[in-house]
Amino acid sequence: MSDGPHRSLGLRKAWKELARLADNLAYAQEEVRHAATVAISHDFNEVSGPLLKALEAIFHGHGNSLGSIEIALQQLNEARRLAAGSVFGINAVFYSEALVSAGRLEPNAFYEAIGMAARMRGRANILAVQEHYVREATESRANHVTRRIKSAFETLSDNTLGTMLVSARIAKVRPMRKSTGLDQGVAL
């Protein structure tokens, strides 16, 4: 007996887990949504810290006190080299350029660009899951899994998704403070 098509799925472990949950109706849609955010956050780890800092600085107007779109586009062109080797990063720069070209040069647009890049990655991986399930199972099962994963992503706006990814990344990077006194231990 097979363990299910998700086992041989050629994606990261978090995406395999998402496919497994979406395939089983015993799991609520909320659990599928949580697994979807975990999967996309694992993919977001490929985006370099320097690229994120550069994009955030551009949308906060650093080095561009006039708020000039031309200067911001030039800064984004320079930041593109920091995205080398990361499709997620390249998409983040692409959507940043689109938002800046539309005149959106405010901090919220940074989170929206990250969210749009995340949604693009999600779509690509959803398509990979669907194609795999069509090959390994039935088309109706593939459509069922795809529908559940898509609905999990549709509950999040681009801004919410981007904010969630960036804030989770910042929380991981912050080092823990070292306790220096005897009274700073675990409360008994």
Side-chain angles (χ1 to χ4, degrees), residues 18 21-22 24-35 148 152:
L18 172 59
L21 295 178
N24 191 338
L25 283 174
Y27 294 99
Q29 189 60 32
E30 180 62 29
E31 292 172 293
V32 175
R33 187 185 68 74
H34 175 71
R148 289 196 70 189

Side-chain angles (χ1 to χ4, degrees), residues 121-186:
R121 171 58 70 93
R123 284 187 195 120
N125 285 344
I126 290 169
L127 184 59
V129 168
Q130 183 177 24
E131 289 172 351
H132 181 76
Y133 268 75
V134 165
R135 280 192 309 273
E136 300 294 325
T138 64
E139 189 171 345
S140 64
R141 190 171 175 187
N143 290 337
H144 164 74
V145 170
T146 303
R147 197 170 28 257
R148 289 196 70 189
I149 296 173
K150 279 183 178 178
S151 68
F153 275 105
E154 288 171 357
T155 62
L156 300 167
S157 70
D158 291 335
N159 199 327
T160 303
L161 189 56
T163 303
M164 178 198 68
L165 291 172
V166 171
S167 61
R169 178 86 168 263
I170 291 170
K172 285 182 192 175
V173 172
R174 288 195 182 130
M176 294 186 63
R177 284 188 4 186
K178 183 177 179 181
S179 297
T180 55
L182 290 175
D183 297 332
Q184 292 181 343
V186 178

Side-chain angles (χ1 to χ4, degrees), residues 24-125:
N24 191 338
L25 283 174
Y27 294 99
Q29 189 60 32
E30 180 62 29
E31 292 172 293
V32 175
R33 187 185 68 74
H34 175 71
T37 58
V38 168
I40 202 70
S41 70
H42 280 256
D43 286 355
F44 184 62
N45 288 335
E46 80 180 37
V47 178
S48 72
L51 175 62
L52 275 182
K53 288 180 184 175
L55 293 177
E56 189 171 25
I58 291 166
F59 282 104
H60 280 87
H62 296 138
N64 186 4
S65 59
L66 299 175
S68 168
I69 291 174
E70 291 79 23
I71 293 173
L73 287 173
Q74 183 179 359
Q75 290 173 326
L76 284 168
N77 194 30
E78 293 167 5
R80 184 179 302 282
R81 68 178 173 74
L82 298 172
S86 167
V87 174
F88 203 133
I90 291 168
N91 286 339
V93 173
F94 172 77
Y95 286 114
S96 295
E97 287 174 341
L99 290 171
V100 167
S101 294
R104 304 260 331 267
L105 200 54
E106 70 264 3
N108 269 345
F110 164 67
Y111 297 110
E112 193 168 332
I114 298 298
M116 292 165 85
R119 194 167 303 283
M120 178 64 77
R121 171 58 70 93
R123 284 187 195 120
N125 285 344

